[in-house]
Amino acid sequence: KIALLVGNNHYQHHPNLMAPVTDVFELSLLLKQLGFQVVSLLDLNKAEMMTAVGRFLQLLGKGVYALFYYAGHGYEHSGRNYMVPIDAPQPYAPENCISVQRILQKMQQQQTALNLILLDTCRKWYNPECALSHVQPLEPWGNTVYGYATSEDAEAYELQDGEFSSGIFMKYLKKHILQEKKVTHMLEDVLEDIGRDPLVTGKQVMEIKHTLKEARALTDPV
């Protein structure tokens, strides 16, 4: 069980965020309880993000449960998700950002038993002139789960409570992540809790996509 967690808070050309530093720290503690080897990184530029992902992919192999979590600025364009490094210019384009689908493709190529991608990022797109990066479709291997903190073309919100801040998504993910149930069912519990939160009613609702054909749980002994 191997996890890479990336939280980008302090941006050079975009508004700073508050929650990713706390959210990455709290998720890393929970994943360690579940037996994951965890690498947590904060405030990465594009080169550092590429290096971190490259090292993460080298650790994956047959039967591995792989989890990738990203909190920070991001966007979605025509069904493809991009993470915004801290050095991305304003306005940014795909070549300044990291394609999530490209990472997922490479995770699949390692014949992992489970690929879980958790994206705690907005999915709005503000630059219609921009071209898409070229990404091949995923192979139908039945091992992939996406947990999006928010739905298509919507924002993901942070909570500020005095000194403490947290993403809405992480508030409820940490409540359910230790459950012994299929990972998609655990995420459905998170979705339902976010859906009941009056602070984000009509603004943020989680989305789950998956091709998981076996009942894999994060609590499984591997």
Side-chain angles (χ1 to χ4, degrees), residues 57-135:
L57 292 166
Q58 286 172 5
L59 298 173
L60 306 186
K62 208 163 188 172
V64 168
Y65 281 26
L67 184 151
F68 178 74
Y69 169 82
Y70 171 73
H73 285 305
Y75 68 92
E76 183 174 301
H77 185 199
S78 299
R80 296 188 196 154
N81 299 89
Y82 298 88
M83 302 174 287
V84 180
I86 60 162
D87 59 345
Q90 174 78 275
Y92 44 72
E95 59 267 23
N96 311 125
C97 301
I98 310 282
S99 161
V100 175
Q101 276 72 19
R102 196 166 279 163
I103 295 171
L104 190 45
Q105 246 175 0
K106 291 179 176 168
M107 288 167 77
Q108 270 203 341
Q109 287 163 7
Q110 306 291 64
Q111 300 186 355
T112 41
L114 172 68
N115 294 318
L116 175 57
I117 306 274
L118 298 173
L119 291 181
D120 200 351
T121 176
C122 295
R123 294 171 69 187
K124 274 191 172 299
W125 177 229
Y126 300 103
N127 188 353
E129 309 301 310
C130 217
L132 283 169
S133 57
H134 182 67
V135 181

Side-chain angles (χ1 to χ4, degrees), residues 13-103:
H13 310 289
H14 304 280
N16 286 339
L17 299 169
M18 298 174 295
V21 63
T22 311
D23 290 350
V24 162
F25 175 70
E26 298 212 316
L27 182 58
S28 70
L29 295 179
L30 292 165
L31 290 173
K32 284 172 186 169
Q33 285 184 51
L34 290 165
F36 276 81
Q37 297 175 53
V38 184
V39 176
S40 309
L41 300 167
L42 295 172
D43 289 337
L44 301 187
N45 62 32
K46 188 182 177 199
E48 290 164 342
M49 284 182 82
M50 298 290 283
T51 301
V53 167
R55 297 278 175 87
F56 171 63
L57 292 166
Q58 286 172 5
L59 298 173
L60 306 186
K62 208 163 188 172
V64 168
Y65 281 26
L67 184 151
F68 178 74
Y69 169 82
Y70 171 73
H73 285 305
Y75 68 92
E76 183 174 301
H77 185 199
S78 299
R80 296 188 196 154
N81 299 89
Y82 298 88
M83 302 174 287
V84 180
I86 60 162
D87 59 345
Q90 174 78 275
Y92 44 72
E95 59 267 23
N96 311 125
C97 301
I98 310 282
S99 161
V100 175
Q101 276 72 19
R102 196 166 279 163
I103 295 171

